Amino acid sequence: MDQVGVGSMLVVPFGKRRLLGVVVDLAEESDLPPERLVEPLAALDRGVPPELIRLGLWAAEEYCSTPARGLALVLPPGAGIGALPRVGIRRVLTAEITDAGRAALGEEGPRLGGRQRLVLEALTDGAQTAARLTRAAGCGHSTLRSLETRALVTLAQSEQRRRPVLASVGAQPGREVEPTRDQRAALAMIEARMDAGEHAGLLLHGVTGSGKTEVYLRAADAALRRGRSAIVLVPEIALTPQTAARFEERFGDTVAVLHSRLGAGERHDEWLRLRRGEARVCVGPRSAVFAPVTDLGLIVIDEEHDSSYKQEGDPRYDARLVAARRARQTGAALVAGSATPRPESWAALERVSLTARVDGRPLPPVELVRSLDAAGVLHARTRDALEEVRRRGEKAIVLLNRRGWSNFLSCRSCARVWECPQCDVSLVLHRSTARVACHHCGHSEPVPGACPDCGSVSLARHGVGTERLERELEETMAPLPVFRLDADAAAGRGAVLDLLRRFDGARSGVLVGTQMVAKGHDFPDVTLGVVVDADSTLRFPDFRAEERTFALVAQLAGRSGRGPRGGRVIVQALDPDVRCLRLAAAHDAEGFLAGELERRRALGYPPFAHLIRVVCSARESGPETAAAQAVRARLSVPGATVLGPAPLFRLKGRERAQLLVKSPAGEESRAAAVRAVRRAVEAVAGDRTLGGASFSVDVDPQ
């Protein structure tokens, strides 16, 4: 136990159980008498860097969670809250030929059996695992033990790395890419911050195709040359293997990847490589911000506008703010990159711009058309453009941000709508599975043949999703292949990468899907981008609706025209004259952000205020509202506005009510609001008269 320190993981007795404990601090003496203290049972042979212990505890405090859940963010894969690690190092029996074994293969060597000779011959190319040898030579372990006894081979237990598969998709520039003037200027600023230990974030605002990834690669190289490490965050798991492949091509085996789609063993081994310093560059989605690297010199947040950087479960951390905190702790340079930055980042961070695409090609022209003028799902202009793609054998990407076949079903006779029994939402029709499903809780049931209320067999389908659009495109674009990319079509492990590789390898075709098709893909032979029902996101009661609509259209537009054939974009909307769509069509991010910041200043929304949402829920109606009212009564936040309680739709069988706290901008105001909310929620949660109510707190809700 002499080596135990902050970050050490210990096996501790807890009644009759053995639990995992994490050392968060050291003390010379205890407030408890010696007879009440118990020795740890064992210290595990791995631990967490002390800086990550501090970061996990900070996240717990910042996002109104518990220390155990905050620490769970930084523990090795397979170690949970109190649970001992379920995954360890894989050790395999490895055989290696000796000098005597090599001599035995000569004419003057000792007599060998047929299988023994096969084993020795196989080992002349290098050490191999016993399992592989026995398969190749058709022998058992007894043959290997016999050779070991004769000193012709050595057998030893060795670690075997479970390595993730990394694959590149889309355009892959060569290793020696000459940077543009803008890229050199951006890199110079990043390196200067790295040398100065300047942790304040830098916003890399670059139009789509301007070479932001090349800047990240060179910045990571600069960190490595200085003996430091780097973390590169990407918004989607689907993009992780592609980005990691780019980095692995440049830096080799010093790159590790961390994300939840890896197998448990793969995640463990990648984490351990980072912890040991064998890998110095980590690529992954939001959870990779907690990668156990030391001497951190660079944190990159690619596509920093993406909402997937916000964790949905407790603790509801924002990886962008965690990255800023970690950069402050370590003196690392923080780079946030996007073609469509968040207003918060635009207002707060120093900016450096990449104003043109690296190949000098212009951004594609964007045409706005009115959906109401369409005869069906696709506008006539869209159909003409798709026909041209089909005739010329090119590629297109079509975005519709709704999955399924139809939004909902209704009875034509009595107007009954099929709804989720657990949530106050309608069920979405999925024709491929012949089921209607809830996209909130996962409930599904067979497509009804008749209305259970009136017996009518006349059922109406309303709205269009990606599944139905895929069918229409298959009919329109035949014989070109159509590939669908959404949460339904790409649910299995590796399915997203496989689909993108098939689209990349096709001579021509159409990729249709939800917002997943707009994120970071680089296919030079895509000449047409289409957004269907582009203003649907504006119909949500969300102050970020215009920001998200602008980003979605601008990002999809950036997928087109990256190759020598150029490209174009068609955007279908109910009202194509709305401001965010006009500015997206003009590729005018600066104009949009200037107007959006003025609107938010007038309304008191971020970055001119901080938001905290408190949701109270209960199985039966009543306790959730009473709990929300009790929390509000106990809230005292100077200068803040408290909105609610207001009812929320039922979710997963629970009635819900919410409060929204708006506090003034500034770190002190934010910290005071978080403390006040924590105190109020903890007080109400301890009130037995409100039993049955549960609480969730979301700081900076998205």
Side-chain angles (χ1 to χ4, degrees):
M1 297 290 182
D2 294 340
Q3 301 302 315
V4 169
V6 174
S8 295
M9 300 198 305
L10 308 177
V11 180
V12 296
F14 192 80
K16 295 183 179 181
R17 294 185 294 166
R18 300 163 71 243
L19 299 180
L20 175 68
V22 182
V23 178
V24 299
D25 204 353
L26 298 175
E28 292 294 333
E29 57 185 28
S30 172
D31 294 335
L32 296 174
E35 63 270 15
R36 295 191 60 189
L37 300 179
V38 179
E39 286 271 348
L41 300 176
L44 302 185
D45 61 352
R46 72 194 90 166
V48 179
E51 72 172 70
L52 283 187
I53 296 297
R54 296 193 297 272
L55 189 66
L57 294 175
W58 171 86
E61 186 70 25
E62 185 75 4
Y63 293 100
C64 290
S65 187
T66 64
R69 287 179 174 153
L71 291 173
L73 297 172
V74 304
L75 293 181
I81 302 174
L84 297 179
R86 299 183 300 273
V87 184
I89 296 170
R90 174 188 282 179
R91 299 188 181 278
V92 295
L93 186 64
T94 303
E96 187 172 7
I97 193 170
T98 64
D99 290 340
R102 293 183 185 278
L105 290 173
E107 293 183 0
E108 303 298 326
R111 184 177 179 182
L112 295 171
R115 289 189 176 88
Q116 291 180 331
R117 181 171 292 277
L118 287 175
V119 169
L120 294 179
E121 289 174 348
L123 289 174
T124 57
D125 294 329
Q128 296 187 33
T129 64
R132 183 176 178 182
L133 271 177
T134 55
R135 287 195 302 269
C139 64
H141 278 65
S142 59
T143 303
L144 301 181
R145 294 297 181 188
S146 175
L147 290 171
E148 181 187 34
T149 301
R150 299 174 64 182
L152 302 181
V153 302
T154 58
L155 298 178
Q157 293 285 339
S158 62
E159 290 185 17
Q160 185 181 52
R161 175 185 169 192
R162 290 157 288 199
R163 185 171 184 170
V165 176
L166 303 179
S168 299
V169 178
Q172 297 296 320
R175 298 179 68 89
E176 297 297 329
V177 179
E178 185 64 29
T180 65
R181 182 178 62 184
D182 286 348
Q183 287 175 323
R184 287 195 295 270
L187 189 62
M189 290 186 67
I190 296 170
E191 291 195 55
R193 286 170 175 251
M194 211 179 294
D195 291 334
E198 175 57 61
H199 62 78
L202 180 69
L203 178 62
L204 181 62
H205 176 224
V207 300
T208 54
S210 58
K212 293 185 289 294
T213 302
E214 182 61 28
V215 174
Y216 305 153
L217 287 162
R218 290 177 178 266
D221 181 60
L224 293 175
R225 283 188 280 106
R226 288 162 171 77
R228 305 183 75 180
S229 55
I231 294 174
V232 181
L233 302 180
V234 295
E236 288 281 349
I237 290 175
L239 297 179
T240 304
Q242 302 173 55
T243 306
R246 290 282 301 274
F247 276 80
E248 187 182 49
E249 179 188 5
R250 190 70 60 93
F251 303 119
D253 208 36
T254 194
V255 177
V257 57
L258 286 178
H259 60 77
S260 60
R261 292 280 182 91
L262 296 179
E266 292 172 335
R267 290 180 64 196
H268 171 273
D269 290 359
E270 292 293 89
W271 189 93
L272 195 59
R273 290 177 64 234
L274 290 163
R275 181 69 181 96
R276 290 171 169 173
E278 297 168 4
R280 305 286 291 171
V281 178
C282 179
V283 179
R286 60 176 176 265
S287 60
V289 73
F290 299 104
V293 295
T294 55
D295 300 318
L296 187 59
L298 173 71
I299 304 177
V300 170
I301 310 171
D302 189 25
E303 309 291 4
E304 69 87 30
H305 65 276
D306 200 286
S307 61
S308 65
Y309 283 119
K310 187 71 161 66
Q311 169 77 1
E312 293 182 359
D314 188 22
R316 293 171 175 81
Y317 68 89
D318 189 324
R320 294 163 292 207
L321 295 183
V322 177
R325 176 73 180 192
R326 193 167 185 188
R328 181 185 302 178
Q329 285 184 351
T330 60
L334 176 65
V335 181
S338 177
T340 54
R342 294 181 302 154
E344 295 93 322
S345 302
W346 190 259
L349 303 182
E350 183 180 355
R351 300 191 292 268
V352 58
S353 297
L354 305 179
T355 57
R357 287 183 162 179
V358 289
D359 53 14
R361 295 188 177 92
L363 292 167
V366 180
E367 180 181 1
L368 300 172
V369 298
R370 195 178 304 275
S371 298
L372 293 176
D373 298 334
V377 180
L378 300 176
H379 192 278
R381 297 286 294 169
T382 304
R383 291 183 180 276
D384 290 344
L386 287 168
E387 172 58 28
E388 185 175 353
V389 167
R390 188 189 65 80
R391 180 173 52 81
R392 296 172 58 177
E394 297 171 344
K395 290 182 180 178
I397 295 179
V398 181
L399 186 153
L400 172 60
N401 207 21
R402 286 192 303 273
R403 57 193 174 101
W405 183 275
S406 297
N407 298 5
F408 65 95
L409 288 177
S410 71
C411 174
R412 295 182 187 273
S413 299
C414 69
R416 181 193 199 275
V417 173
W418 274 258
E419 294 184 337
C420 176
Q422 300 294 321
C423 310
D424 289 333
V425 297
S426 58
L427 298 174
V428 178
L429 172 63
H430 291 259
R431 191 172 177 181
S432 62
T433 58
R435 301 184 74 82
V436 287
C438 175
H439 288 178
H440 291 276
C441 72
H443 168 83
S444 71
E445 55 192 64
V447 174
C451 176
D453 295 343
C454 69
S456 172
V457 294
S458 180
L459 307 181
R461 300 169 178 174
H462 303 270
V464 178
T466 50
E467 190 181 1
R468 180 176 168 187
L469 182 56
E470 177 192 26
R471 177 66 61 85
E472 184 162 333
L473 288 168
E474 285 174 341
E475 296 172 354
T476 302
M477 302 298 290
L480 267 62
V482 176
F483 306 88
R484 176 161 58 94
L485 179 58
D486 58 24
D488 299 319
R493 183 181 175 188
V496 173
L497 185 58
D498 177 64
L499 189 145
L500 291 174
R501 292 175 71 177
R502 287 192 287 117
F503 176 68
D504 185 29
R507 294 186 60 184
S508 57
V510 179
L511 178 65
V512 58
T514 55
Q515 59 183 335
M516 298 170 73
V517 303
K519 295 186 177 183
H521 309 301
D522 187 359
F523 299 110
D525 43 3
V526 169
T527 59
L528 175 66
V530 176
V531 185
V532 178
D533 202 6
D535 52 353
S536 63
T537 45
L538 295 177
R539 300 193 279 273
F540 289 91
D542 185 348
F543 76 92
R544 289 191 176 88
E546 291 198 15
E547 172 195 345
R548 287 175 173 155
T549 301
F550 175 86
L552 193 64
V553 173
Q555 289 289 334
L556 189 279
R559 303 311 116 208
S560 176
R562 292 181 172 229
R565 295 186 179 185
R568 60 187 292 204
V569 180
I570 297 177
V571 177
Q572 296 184 187
L574 288 175
D575 183 5
D577 294 326
V578 295
R579 178 177 173 276
C580 60
L581 291 183
R582 287 189 287 103
L583 291 172
H587 306 289
D588 187 3
E590 293 190 25
F592 170 77
L593 289 164
E596 182 68 5
L597 284 168
E598 286 304 311
R599 185 179 73 89
R600 293 195 186 182
R601 187 192 302 274
L603 297 174
Y605 281 116
F608 306 105
H610 295 294
L611 302 182
I612 304 175
R613 185 171 77 149
V614 181
V615 176
C616 306
S617 66
R619 283 290 177 189
E620 304 295 333
S621 180
E624 81 289 352
T625 303
Q629 290 170 340
V631 170
R632 173 159 188 161
R634 288 169 171 79
L635 272 175
S636 177
V637 188
T641 301
V642 182
L643 305 177
L648 275 176
F649 70 92
R650 190 168 54 105
L651 180 68
K652 298 181 180 178
R654 298 188 69 86
E655 304 289 342
R656 301 187 299 158
Q658 70 168 340
L659 295 167
L660 188 68
V661 180
K662 295 175 69 173
S663 66
E667 288 190 12
E668 291 185 5
S669 296
R670 173 193 172 94
V674 170
R675 287 194 299 269
V677 168
R678 177 189 286 275
R679 285 195 299 265
V681 169
E682 288 177 348
V684 175
D687 187 345
R688 294 188 177 183
T689 65
L690 295 170
S694 59
F695 306 84
S696 70
V697 179
D698 192 354
V699 180
D700 302 321
Q702 298 293 303

